[in-house]
Structure formats: structure tokens, C-alpha cells
Amino acid sequence: QVQLVESGGGLVQAGGSLRLSCAASGRTFSTYTVGWFRQAPGKEREFVAAIGWSGVTYYADSVKGRFAISRDNAKNTMYLQMNSLKPEDTAVYACAASSNPYIGSGYTRPLSYDYWGQGTQVTVSS
């Protein structure tokens, strides 16, 4: 079992930055694909970013160039640096981990992930 706990959410003005953290416990997750998803009120959960065990990264088009995902396997933690935030980035952000090291194109699909954090609220004011 892997437990994931997010931190770093909050209220920020448009154009500002936030860094989300996701700490994993229970198992080392160096071989896991880990990712971030978000869900705004009344909308479906959507893929934000993912990073594979090799360090390859993937981003949704809506955040490419503004967000950066990274991981520190020694600390069992991953991060999402969010810059140039927009009001439309407002959502609950949740981290997820997949025990399948060969997730392939499934990195955008929530069902590909085995473990989820509880989520952290990010609110961007205009």
C-alpha cells in the first residue's frame, strides 16, 4: 500500500505561483509513474502532468510551459511547480501513483493509477 499526502495549495492572485508537494509513504515509489490531476466544481477530473520512473514528463496542453513536475525519489516526494497561474487553474489538485512502470499512454487516464491523495485546493483570483 502507498499513502499519498498533498500539501502546498492555497489562494493566489492570477500570475502568481504555487508549489504543490505529494509525499508518499508505505512503499518506495521510485519505479512508479506519478501524476497530478485536478477537478473543478461541476467538471470532470482532468490530467495535469505526470512523470515516469525514468524522469520522462508529460503535460496537458493547458499547462505546458507554465507547470513543471518533478520527483525526489530519495524523499519519496513529487512536486508540481505552478507558475503564471490563471483563474481557470482553480481546482482541487490530487496526486496519484501507478505501480505499473510501463503505463505507456495511460498516464492521462485516472483508472491507470492505483493510489490517490485526498487533494488540495488551489484557488486563483482574478
Side-chain angles (χ1 to χ4, degrees):
Q1 287 291 330
V2 173
Q3 293 79 43
L4 304 175
V5 179
E6 303 95 338
S7 61
L11 173 65
V12 65
Q13 287 189 329
S17 298
L18 281 175
R19 188 175 83 152
L20 304 183
S21 299
C22 176
S25 61
R27 258 187 151 162
T28 182
F29 78 157
S30 60
T31 61
Y32 286 29
T33 294
V34 289
W36 290 95
F37 289 77
R38 66 187 181 186
Q39 188 166 20
K43 295 188 177 181
E44 292 189 354
R45 181 181 293 175
E46 66 170 348
F47 168 75
V48 176
I51 183 167
W53 62 269
S54 64
V56 63
T57 57
Y58 309 92
Y59 296 96
D61 288 343
S62 59
V63 307
K64 204 170 290 183
R66 300 189 296 123
F67 290 12
I69 189 171
S70 60
R71 65 193 299 166
D72 184 338
N73 289 333
K75 296 182 178 179
N76 256 18
T77 302
M78 70 162 172
Y79 306 95
L80 185 68
Q81 178 67 44
M82 305 186 295
N83 300 325
S84 302
L85 282 161
K86 304 175 181 180
E88 51 263 44
D89 294 318
T90 295
V92 175
Y93 285 70
C95 61
S98 171
S99 58
N100 180 4
Y102 305 107
I103 196 172
S105 60
Y107 62 86
T108 64
R109 297 196 296 266
L111 288 177
S112 297
Y113 295 83
D114 307 297
Y115 306 102
W116 290 84
Q118 81 289 351
T120 186
Q121 177 70 46
V122 171
T123 302
V124 184
S125 62
S126 56

